[in-house]
Amino acid sequence: MDEVSSSQFQGMRDAFASEGISIEVAYTPDGEPDYMYETDRLLARADVAERVQDVLSGAAPVSPDMPHPPEESSLVVLSIEALEEGYLTVPQALDLLDARLDVDNPAPGGGFPLVTPVHILHITRTCPATEPEVPCSCAPDEPCTPCPPVAPDGGAGVVIGVCDTGLLADTASAPWLAGVTGETDPLGQLLPSGLYAIPSYCSHGTFVAGVARCEAPESDVYVSNHFTMSGGEREWVIVDKLMELIARDPAPQVVNLSAGTYTRNNWSLLSFSAFDHDGITLTAAAGNDATDRKFFPAAFDWAVSVGALGADQQNRAWFSNYGDWVDVYTPGEGLVNAFASGEYTYQEPPKRPAMQIFDGRARWSGTSFAAPLVAGLIAAQMSANGMSADDATQAVLAQARAQAIPGIGPVLFPR
């Protein structure tokens, strides 16, 4: 694991531990990080749970004791802390199940696997690609304008839901966020300098909402605070929270998720078998590891997987994931948008432990921020042409294919 990923994982592990949850990283045979998971837990389809327990004597359902369990009719979380044959790690237990289950995992023809780790979705190295930076092109004593800039109109009557880190309590200095609502993304403590500390990943949801709002300035945007543990959360918890988000009134037609994970054997995330995405468009970040490995949920064929173009808008960004599973690329490097005001201490090498003072704006890079640009474009298409979310999505993707860049793929540009 490289220094940046290691630093981010340590922060997440500490945050989960504070809630009594243990997480770990699985490695490939050649020592490369494979996926992140909750220790001592498996996620299984309910119809195979008994067979899993036959193989792993002592495995026990724990879902009923959880505050937000996965849909009990379809999924169950199993504890493997007290197996009769002795302790097994999650990867070891799954290897044993693969060898002994009397059904294929996943079922023939593809689809969802039968039993998996409880993967950890995260907004860290995957999205954003960098820590935030202070914009350097603003006039003295004047706040920077967003880049890409605010479109003149678009998105009226459309609701965009943002599954992220919440919304800053004070966004008055960013007029394009007027009317945006959501759960609060809290700042840190008040420092002796008189400024507030800006925690890691604070403002991520606000920045994402700002990018979407710039493309669809008349849309209604609601920002949920779903990633409270240093940018990570268990997969079934995110599905549960996504279902809560799309059940809101008014219900979002477009939802942006700037987070995801790699998975064991590159299989589909089992938790999303309980996610009813009918009638909405989910735009999702493709990830920032410059790999063609599938990143979920972006890699689902029903999601809009968004990679990032570089600052020149002619080449793929250096960090962006890629592959035939990525639907579209759009600018995601060096974007400027709303951010907290206060002191930020860098947590990752090479800038750690330098400090910078932010004044309501940041320059930030990642497929995290390419994805909401596409969400905003879809919302603008919906309002301009009276389209459903699905029809507008197909129209926007057709436009992207028509202006594809050779060697990269379909691309979209800000309005």
Side-chain angles (χ1 to χ4, degrees), residues 87-134:
Y87 181 76
L88 295 175
T89 66
V90 166
Q92 288 171 335
L94 289 166
D95 288 344
L96 183 62
L97 288 168
D98 287 347
R100 295 189 185 177
L101 278 179
D102 58 352
V103 290
D104 291 327
N105 184 21
F112 290 100
L114 305 178
V115 57
T116 72
V118 176
H119 295 95
I120 304 300
L121 272 69
H122 40 98
I123 64 167
T124 52
R125 176 63 177 267
T126 58
C127 7
T130 63
E131 289 187 271
E133 299 176 311
V134 176

Side-chain angles (χ1 to χ4, degrees), residues 5-242:
S5 297
S6 178
S7 174
Q8 293 176 347
F9 174 68
Q10 291 297 331
M12 270 194 291
R13 184 160 64 180
D14 291 346
F16 275 96
S18 70
E19 298 294 326
I21 301 165
S22 175
I23 66 172
E24 194 50 83
V25 174
Y27 291 87
T28 65
D30 60 1
E32 293 297 318
D34 194 4
Y35 57 87
M36 199 182 307
Y37 65 94
E38 182 180 9
T39 60
D40 300 328
R41 297 288 186 269
L42 301 179
L43 184 65
R45 273 180 23 186
D47 59 351
V48 300
E50 288 188 8
R51 276 176 283 182
V52 171
Q53 291 173 273
D54 287 341
V55 174
L56 300 175
S57 299
V62 293
S63 297
D65 300 325
M66 295 185 172
H68 300 287
E71 186 63 38
E72 292 178 306
S73 63
S74 61
L75 298 175
V76 61
V77 177
L78 296 170
S79 168
I80 59 169
E81 291 177 279
L83 300 181
E84 292 180 7
E85 58 192 277
Y87 181 76
L88 295 175
T89 66
V90 166
Q92 288 171 335
L94 289 166
D95 288 344
L96 183 62
L97 288 168
D98 287 347
R100 295 189 185 177
L101 278 179
D102 58 352
V103 290
D104 291 327
N105 184 21
F112 290 100
L114 305 178
V115 57
T116 72
V118 176
H119 295 95
I120 304 300
L121 272 69
H122 40 98
I123 64 167
T124 52
R125 176 63 177 267
T126 58
C127 7
T130 63
E131 289 187 271
E133 299 176 311
V134 176
C136 59
S137 58
C138 305
D141 302 321
E142 291 184 18
C144 290
T145 56
C147 180
V150 182
D153 53 29
V158 180
V159 180
I160 300 174
V162 177
C163 174
D164 215 285
T165 64
L167 181 70
L168 291 170
D170 182 9
T171 59
S173 67
W176 60 93
L177 286 174
V180 173
T181 58
E183 298 167 331
T184 301
D185 184 5
L187 288 169
Q189 64 180 338
L190 185 63
L191 301 171
S193 63
L195 300 174
Y196 283 95
I198 303 174
S200 297
Y201 317 117
C202 177
S203 304
H204 190 274
T206 300
F207 198 102
V208 164
V211 173
R213 228 347 169 55
C214 284
E215 299 305 314
E218 297 173 294
S219 63
D220 292 321
V221 178
Y222 183 86
V223 189
S224 294
N225 187 358
H226 289 168
F227 289 89
T228 59
M229 288 183 281
S230 195
E233 186 52 273
R234 291 162 292 175
E235 58 172 291
W236 61 263
V237 175
I238 289 301
V239 169
D240 185 60
K241 291 181 176 181
L242 277 170

Side-chain angles (χ1 to χ4, degrees), residues 258-274:
S258 288
T261 184
Y262 303 104
T263 62
R264 181 176 182 264
N265 294 333
N266 298 320
W267 289 339
S268 299
L269 275 174
L270 177 55
S271 54
F272 276 81
S273 66

Side-chain angles (χ1 to χ4, degrees), residues 159 242-243 245-247 251-256 275-283 302-304 389-390 393:
V159 180
L242 277 170
M243 294 300 292
L245 176 60
I246 64 177
Q253 300 103 318
V254 181
V255 173
N256 185 83
F275 178 57
D276 182 7
H277 55 82
D278 186 44
I280 69 162
T281 287
L282 180 75
T283 53
W302 49 262
V304 180
D390 183 64
T393 299

